[in-house]
Amino acid sequence: MKTKYRLESIAFYDTEALSAHLGEMAALGWELESVGLLLWKYRKIQREKRTYGITFFPTPQK
């Protein structure tokens, strides 16, 4: 299996939990590929220790 879909329940503003989760997934051999409305898509990678940083960009006001 080279692709995995998961329903994640992490709040987008909880940057510490989000970066920790992505690091744990990389240690298990999965890298985040895309985020959908309900499911997050991961692809298989070689297991490795990673550290993630989270950055938000504001949307332009109309």
Side-chain angles (χ1 to χ4, degrees), residues 41-59:
K41 182 179 180 182
Y42 296 89
R43 71 171 159 225
K44 189 74 175 155
I45 60 169
Q46 183 175 347
R47 294 178 185 210
E48 60 187 24
K49 182 177 179 181
R50 290 186 179 184
T51 303
Y52 285 86
I54 310 299
T55 303
F56 292 101
F57 295 96
T59 56

Side-chain angles (χ1 to χ4, degrees), residues 25-50:
M25 291 299 289
L28 294 172
W30 295 100
E31 177 181 55
L32 182 65
E33 188 172 317
S34 64
V35 176
L37 291 175
L38 295 176
L39 299 175
W40 292 19
K41 182 179 180 182
Y42 296 89
R43 71 171 159 225
K44 189 74 175 155
I45 60 169
Q46 183 175 347
R47 294 178 185 210
E48 60 187 24
K49 182 177 179 181
R50 290 186 179 184

Side-chain angles (χ1 to χ4, degrees), residues 2-40:
K2 295 184 187 258
T3 302
K4 175 186 279 196
Y5 293 90
R6 289 179 42 139
L7 178 64
E8 303 292 1
S9 61
I10 302 171
F12 72 92
Y13 52 81
D14 189 355
T15 57
E16 290 180 19
L18 186 54
S19 61
H21 171 72
L22 293 175
E24 291 168 6
M25 291 299 289
L28 294 172
W30 295 100
E31 177 181 55
L32 182 65
E33 188 172 317
S34 64
V35 176
L37 291 175
L38 295 176
L39 299 175
W40 292 19

